[in-house]
Amino acid sequence: LFSCNNVGIIAATAGDAVISSRENLIVVQGAVQQCVYVYDVVGRLVGRVNHASDEQTFVVGRSGIYLVRIGNNAARRIWVQ
């Protein structure tokens, strides 16, 4: 399930977790004790945490599309403005 605005995807769900963005942040909520991986559009790993808290925040360097993978689930796209 995705939530969109006029510039792209701003929120997505992955299982019970919710992935959203604000400014230069990616926020993952509800992925407690799971591995969370953040990749840029080229596929480079830009953030990782092995045991996520209830709200895990990743700072990304620039706006664009990122892929967020939680555990072994399929990656979800997220737009960071």
Side-chain angles (χ1 to χ4, degrees):
L1 179 65
F2 297 103
S3 172
C4 299
N5 65 9
N6 62 342
V7 294
I9 299 164
I10 56 169
T13 59
D16 292 335
V18 176
I19 305 162
S20 60
S21 68
R22 59 178 184 260
E23 298 174 10
N24 65 334
L25 300 174
I26 294 174
V27 180
V28 179
Q29 296 172 303
V32 178
Q33 295 300 313
Q34 296 189 57
C35 296
V36 179
Y37 306 91
V38 178
Y39 301 91
D40 66 12
V41 74
V42 181
R44 291 180 293 227
L45 183 66
V46 296
R48 180 181 89 181
V49 64
N50 290 327
H51 300 286
S53 60
D54 185 49
E55 182 173 295
Q56 193 68 50
T57 304
F58 297 90
V59 177
V60 292
R62 62 180 70 173
S63 64
I65 296 173
Y66 290 84
L67 302 173
V68 179
R69 184 167 58 98
I70 299 171
N72 292 324
N73 295 311
R76 298 286 182 223
R77 289 177 297 230
I78 192 77
W79 174 265
V80 176
Q81 297 181 356

